[in-house]
Amino acid sequence: MDLKGRDLLTLCDFSKEEINYLLDLAVKLKKMKKEGVVWQPLKGGNIALIFEKTSTRTRCSFEVAAHDLGLGTTYLDPSGSQIGKKESIADTARVLTTMFEGIEYRGFGQEIVEELARYSEVPVWNGLTNEFHPTQLLADMMTIKEKLGDLQGKKVVYFGDACYNMGNSWMVACSKMGMHFTACAASQKYFPEEELRGKCEEWAKESGGSITFSTDTDCAKDADVIYTDVWVSMGEPDEVWKERIEELLPYQVNSQIMKKAAPHAIFMHCLPAFHDLNTGIGKEMYEKFGVKEMEVTDEVFRSPASVVFEEAENRMHTIKAVIAATLGAEP
Ligand code: CP
Ligand code: NVA
């Protein structure tokens, strides 16, 4: 498998075999890290980390993974660069290409990361756009494999706002990997767009996976994985909170939902999560709308079925696999 020079913009561009290769590499790199093996094949190189939106996991994962591989990092924060304001994406790509071995981009439209990739001569990695979050999905699939074994045939039920980066990415991942994807929310407007659905249906036919949409929470029956994400994503206006809370509260992941799933089912969330009042936004929403827990209850979040922190750890191992593979390093 040769992924040297490839971008990771969305999993749509990757085959089942390529995804499995990255997952297997991540497992190998995790084992090496736990055993204290130092492997710095990319020593002397550098990567740029562009964050037009905030981050804890993705930034830390790229920085730690790069450091472990021997790479230096330069972090460009949401306000600290010329990108898009005084300099075009194309010129930014041309400049960064002269100094870096790879570029991570977190920001808004998918077309921005695609433009960056078009004009850069080094791999570009999508660290989250409005439409996709591919590195998160690699970590999620790695976690499912660790907890439940083979991905083929697993049933994933995604509750809440399924029309943004996480819902889209899950639908793509399931259709590529032969998993059964169900999005469960109040109405059509929370489900992924037709065009992407069409592509995924084709991939699902090939892989043996499936895609369904439901407004009935009973669709959690026999699920292996129950997944959710925040109801309002980064970059969305504050005004949408009211409507989202009203419409998505019946789709909150709580113990009743978990009871419908298979007895071995795991709960997953890309994080950060609003499961208590220990966040600024959580408190503000409680004061405005009286809701103490949003997309997931604290009970489920803290339950033995919840694998959210293992999932967060796996961000680093999978991102390390992506950097190593696309920069041509193999242990
Ligand atoms: N899951 C995720 O991408 O987290 P951050 O926003 O903290 O990077
Ligand atoms: N949908 C969320 C994911 C955060 C990792 C957002 O875009 O804010």
Side-chain angles (χ1 to χ4, degrees):
M1 184 66 65
D2 185 9
L3 298 179
K4 189 173 179 191
R6 287 277 293 276
D7 301 313
L8 174 59
L9 306 180
T10 152
L11 290 179
C12 297
D13 306 332
F14 281 71
S15 67
K16 182 175 184 174
E17 292 69 33
E18 288 169 339
I19 293 169
N20 272 325
Y21 174 81
L22 289 171
L23 297 177
D24 291 345
L25 180 57
V27 169
K28 199 185 234 178
L29 295 173
K30 181 171 182 176
K31 187 165 178 278
M32 282 164 63
K33 173 111 178 163
K34 302 275 175 201
E35 287 168 354
V37 176
V38 176
W39 182 60
Q40 301 202 311
L42 301 170
K43 214 173 166 74
N46 290 283
I47 62 171
L49 308 177
I50 306 172
F51 281 83
E52 299 207 274
K53 289 177 178 170
T54 51
S55 168
T56 296
R57 275 147 292 275
T58 310
R59 177 181 174 185
C60 294
S61 297
F62 269 97
E63 292 205 8
V64 172
H67 181 263
D68 285 358
L69 293 167
L71 291 158
T73 54
T74 298
Y75 173 69
L76 297 165
D77 78 11
S79 61
S81 77
Q82 317 284 23
I83 300 165
K85 298 176 280 283
K86 282 173 69 184
E87 191 158 36
S88 68
I89 299 299
D91 286 354
T92 304
R94 291 178 182 119
V95 170
L96 297 181
T97 289
T98 68
M99 298 181 208
F100 295 99
E101 274 55 51
I103 305 166
E104 178 276 353
Y105 174 85
R106 163 171 289 199
F108 297 87
Q110 181 70 11
E111 69 283 357
I112 302 174
V113 78
E114 278 169 12
E115 193 176 350
L116 198 61
R118 199 156 52 246
Y119 291 99
S120 103
E121 285 164 29
V122 297
V124 170
W125 308 297
N126 178 355
L128 178 147
T129 57
N130 296 345
E131 290 82 0
F132 294 109
H133 197 4
T135 62
Q136 178 69 50
L137 263 290
L138 292 174
D140 294 347
M141 289 189 278
M142 178 179 180
T143 311
I144 296 174
K145 282 182 103 163
E146 286 176 343
K147 298 288 170 189
L148 304 175
D150 199 19
L151 298 176
Q152 186 73 40
K154 293 285 179 294
K155 177 175 174 180
V156 178
V157 183
Y158 187 105
F159 281 90
D161 182 20
C163 66
Y164 218 68
N165 41 29
M166 286 307 305
N168 287 341
S169 301
W170 261 109
M171 184 173 72
V172 172
C174 287
S175 64
K176 291 264 174 172
M177 304 308 283
M179 292 185 276
H180 304 294
F181 173 78
T182 300
C184 186
S187 66
Q188 188 68 24
K189 76 175 183 211
Y190 293 108
F191 299 147
E193 281 177 4
E194 284 295 335
E195 196 190 328
L196 185 63
R197 280 199 226 177
K199 285 186 197 164
C200 288
E201 270 152 18
E202 289 304 310
W203 294 324
K205 262 187 227 154
E206 253 172 66
S207 70
S210 65
I211 296 160
T212 51
F213 303 96
S214 177
T215 54
D216 180 355
T217 57
D218 280 348
C219 68
K221 191 173 179 296
D222 299 330
D224 299 291
V225 177
I226 299 288
Y227 205 102
T228 191
D229 181 20
V230 290
W231 292 336
V232 178
S233 287
M234 290 182 276
E236 292 198 278
D238 281 350
E239 296 76 74
V240 299
W241 272 109
K242 185 174 183 292
E243 183 184 74
R244 297 281 165 86
I245 291 174
E246 279 167 13
E247 295 184 349
L248 294 177
L249 200 54
Y251 299 89
Q252 177 189 63
V253 176
N254 52 32
S255 54
Q256 282 78 40
I257 300 271
M258 291 306 292
K259 273 191 207 116
K260 294 179 204 256
H264 62 259
I266 53 175
F267 167 72
M268 302 183 82
H269 190 309
C270 54
L271 303 183
F274 293 119
H275 59 95
D276 59 19
L277 295 180
N278 296 327
T279 64
I281 294 179
K283 266 194 213 110
E284 193 187 324
M285 293 308 138
Y286 175 60
E287 279 153 21
K288 279 193 182 148
F289 306 110
V291 185
K292 282 193 173 149
E293 304 157 310
M294 285 200 256
E295 71 275 9
V296 56
T297 60
D298 199 45
E299 187 187 4
V300 170
F301 188 87
R302 291 166 181 272
S303 69
S306 173
V307 298
V308 294
F309 296 112
E310 286 104 314
E311 197 184 344
E313 178 191 336
N314 285 339
R315 295 296 309 285
M316 198 283 285
H317 305 296
T318 43
I319 282 174
K320 192 188 283 179
V322 170
I323 299 174
T326 56
L327 298 187
E330 204 178 338

